[in-house]
Amino acid sequence: MTTTHTTAPTDPALSVPGTLERFTYDDKIVRMFLLATLVWALVAFLVGIIAAVELAFPQANQLLSILTGGIVSSEYITFGRLRPLHTNAAIFAFAGNTIFAGIYYSTQRLCKARMFSDLLSRLHFWGWQLIIVSAAVTLPLGITQGKEYAELEWPIDIAIAVVWLVIFGGNFLMTLIKRRERHLYVALWFYIATIVTVAMLHVFNNLVIPVFGGTLIKSYPVYAGVQDDFMQWWNGHNAVAFFLTTPFLGLMYYFMPKAADRPVFSYKLSIIHFWSLVFIYIWAGPHHLHYTALPEWASTLGMIFSLMLWMPSWGGMINGLLTLRGVWHKVTTDPVLKFFVVAVTFYGMSTFEGPMLSIKSVNALSHYTDWTIAHVHAGTLGWNGFMAFGMMYFLLPRLFQTKLFSKKLAETHFWLGTIGILLYIIPIYVAGLTQGLMWRGLTDQGQLLYPRFIETVTQLVPMYWIRVLGGTLYMAGTLLGAYNYYMTWRSRPKTYEEPVHEAPALTKGYTDPPPPESKIHGVTDFGHKLDVWMQFQWHRKWERLPVRLTLWVLVAVVVASLFEIVPTFLIRSNVPTIATVGPYTPLELAGRDIYIAEGCYNCHSQMIRPMLAETERYGEYSKPGEFVYDHPFQWGSRRIGPDLAREGGKQSHNWHVLHFKDPAQITPGSIMPPYPWLLQKDLDFKSIPLRVKAMTILGVPYTQAQRDNAEELARAQAAMIAGEIVEQNGEAGLEDKQVVALIAYLQRLGTDIFKTPEPQAPEGGD
């Protein structure tokens, strides 16, 4: 063990001289999270490549099942089940472990203190890895809530809340409280905002009623229809904001100046960047819901605040890039800075494009298309991915106390990743524009130019193959990074040195130094106060009060959220009811749960927008009152297949059976995989009363007879549908199979508003 005598800071604003304390940093936890980052990156990218191949070659899941000797059933690796696995692995496993590695490394050094509890750090690590493994097991099994970025079921959600808020949040906050550095550096502000806001988003978006009984793991959200969709995109958009943006900005503010050996360009700009981002970002979610059944005022508000995000986002990008003033020559030779510069550039591009996509006229073209997919991957692969890899190469020699094995391999990783990103996003941008323009194409007579949805799909397959190539190159770069990691680890010393640092403990009774004299001519008391405020002296005070700073962050995000959420939930006119819309029958409810389990919402929307091209293609546009019993909503965010909002009654029961058996035979060119297991697996009739009971608790008006006889009613409807399939020259013996329940649900979709209201008995009649 070596001893390093660290000189106490001489700036009185940074620290107060006191008794010197000796301490070491816990770098083992950083090594653990960094290794997990790399492992889960490879898993996320591999699953993403498989999913991408399946879109270009839908038989891939069956082929993979054959190649594994049937060990991997094609049922568990369809696109609908792999897509949420990929997104959760990329966001919560890869990006999540990146965040934790960076926070644990930088927080200790910024606070001049070891993490509050080594035990809590280890519990955090193993708890988070267990959560990821649970997701990797449950999602392919079809155990899902069916809400994007919030698919995990209630037991895992509880574990996330405990690990994130209690263990991680508690450990972090206590480290701030026992720190030896007086003022909190900007990176710590962003970490605070991340912990507070993600906890709030997670808890309120995952308020559910579990279905208890047997081995069934199922729940229904307390929100329904319009309100559920609103809450989901309040969560979904801000998961991007406060899980994939604010923590990575914190990493940028720490690691980029460290790698460049330069101070952050502007302290004042960092303050403006932080507070405007925290307050504005939380409002932007409704821009995902333009032209839907969401109230117009809510989506307009989301657009306005999304446009306002241009300013703080680009302020942060400028602050990052201008930090490199005077050292740009280092970028040509340092792979770490290469990764960081391109990452911040992609951050700027993504935060320009995001507000642009929130503009209603642009969104009308881009929504439901692959344009959104290209936008998201430009951010995740470029901004999050390159920040992660730049941080990894910065940390490797410091954590393993040796030289990086190969700078040349790191350079190759950088170029493979950059080319991979471009080969991924460019064809998908083209695919998105192709979809949007073909869907809305009309003849001079106002008829659809491309009336068959499949005409669009077949145009995209070549672009999907180019995306596979891009994703493969990106993963190849990551494999090189893994090799570089391994070889650097091999050259580590037999025993790590743990330098002992010294710093004075903070003392009570500290007061900030008096502000400088006013620079405003014609000094007045007001002028002096204004000058002090403009120099952010008030913020300097907050920076030494972590609990107060945390509370102000919480106030900012809560107030901004309530301004949006409360009107949507309290004003009845926001969700007008429709007399003919009733609850799903017990069988239809079971079929809806199968639809969700298979991940059909990943490819099909259920929301027809009030646009001529959409009503011509799909039928009457969707009304808010149609979804009042939908727990969860199923509006979707992407159309790989056609919208299903008015699917009910369009096709015969047997058509659906044949379609599930072999979609390409019914619709040549279809990229939907076969679902033969739906015709083979028994429907769990015993669980249907439990599902109905849970929905009744949520206020769905099932009658007493429906609650008491749910299973019998479901069996009767299943027998009727199975009989009609036989009458249509279809397969016999399907009355107890899952396919019948799913058909019951599909045949119900969008039919209620066309029913004739039942006559009401006159008041006072005999």
Side-chain angles (χ1 to χ4, degrees), residues 211-231:
V211 177
F212 289 109
T215 59
L216 185 65
I217 303 176
K218 182 65 186 171
S219 65
Y220 298 107
V222 297
Y223 319 106
V226 172
Q227 293 171 342
D228 188 42
D229 193 73
F230 185 89
M231 287 296 294

Side-chain angles (χ1 to χ4, degrees), residues 71-136:
I71 296 175
V72 179
S73 171
S74 59
E75 174 185 355
Y76 306 122
I77 54 173
T78 60
F79 179 84
R81 296 198 187 187
L82 283 186
R83 198 248 181 176
L85 177 61
H86 166 62
T87 55
N88 278 267
I91 296 172
F92 301 110
F94 169 47
N97 280 289
T98 299
I99 293 166
F100 301 139
I103 288 179
Y104 275 103
Y105 183 85
S106 60
T107 297
Q108 296 182 83
R109 285 153 177 85
L110 289 172
C111 293
K112 285 190 170 66
R114 192 180 182 92
M115 293 304 295
F116 173 71
S117 168
D118 288 1
L119 175 60
L120 288 179
S121 298
R122 279 20 176 215
L123 288 174
H124 176 199
F125 176 82
W126 291 112
W128 197 258
Q129 308 318 310
L130 182 60
I131 287 167
I132 295 168
V133 171
S134 300

Side-chain angles (χ1 to χ4, degrees), residues 641-656:
D643 188 275
L644 301 179
R646 299 276 176 252
E647 181 62 26
K650 284 188 175 181
Q651 308 291 347
S652 69
H653 298 331
N654 193 45
W655 183 94
H656 285 288

